[in-house]
Amino acid sequence: LTKSNEWTNYKFTVKIFARQATVTLIARYIDENNFLACTYSGRYVEIIQKVNGISNVVNSTTVVEAPYTRYFYNDLNLAMTVNNKTISCSLLGDDNIVYNNVDEKLQKGGIGIQVWSNSNGVANIEVKNVKVLPI
């Protein structure tokens, strides 16, 4: 999101319709080599921290209450919160996964949304609402 690069502590929520897609919410985006991400694929949620071009999955979980499918096919209310050195990801309204040791380099930065599928040309999303609130 243009002009969001100076944001520090915020909650980023998205209402989205996703079809045959893995959805990633991005926070504290500095550039393609430095950012935080919450990736949602079916029941699986992971937190990714990328610093100086090195990407690490720093936490992951399976949310058993989520619809059982490799990809989503309905409206989703996704959220990620960044507050100081903590990031959390929400799939069903609660913080389903948390990481408490965010790198010092990632203390401010912008937001974004990414969609991906391993089948070329089939990923499809409709972003219905985006809200960012300061903490």
Side-chain angles (χ1 to χ4, degrees), residues 12-16 25 76-79 113 127 129-131:
F12 172 27
T13 59
V14 177
K15 183 173 185 179
I16 194 168
L25 300 183
L76 300 169
N77 291 301
L78 306 177
I113 301 171
V127 178
N129 188 6
V130 175
K131 186 185 296 185

Side-chain angles (χ1 to χ4, degrees), residues 12-120:
F12 172 27
T13 59
V14 177
K15 183 173 185 179
I16 194 168
F17 181 87
R19 190 181 303 97
Q20 295 184 340
T22 294
V23 177
T24 300
L25 300 183
I26 299 169
R28 293 195 177 154
Y29 180 87
I30 299 168
D31 58 33
E32 67 273 3
N33 292 311
N34 298 282
F35 60 85
L36 296 169
C38 294
T39 297
Y40 305 88
S41 183
R43 292 179 169 174
Y44 186 70
V45 181
E46 66 183 14
I47 297 174
I48 298 168
Q49 177 175 256
K50 189 170 186 180
V51 178
N52 297 327
I54 300 170
S55 183
N56 291 302
V57 175
V58 294
N59 202 353
S60 62
T61 191
T62 300
V63 181
V64 295
E65 300 84 9
Y68 184 70
T69 177
R70 173 142 164 64
Y71 300 109
F72 296 111
Y73 292 91
N74 54 4
D75 285 326
L76 300 169
N77 291 301
L78 306 177
M80 72 186 300
T81 303
V82 287
N83 189 10
N84 298 317
K85 294 189 76 169
T86 299
I87 176 176
S88 62
C89 306
S90 171
L91 175 58
L92 296 174
D94 297 323
D95 288 339
N96 300 110
I97 186 169
V98 176
Y99 178 66
N100 293 309
N101 196 22
V102 170
D103 190 279
E104 291 293 329
K105 185 169 186 170
L106 302 176
Q107 293 304 303
K108 67 178 180 178
I111 64 168
I113 301 171
Q114 181 182 46
V115 60
W116 181 86
S117 174
N118 60 359
S119 299
N120 196 15

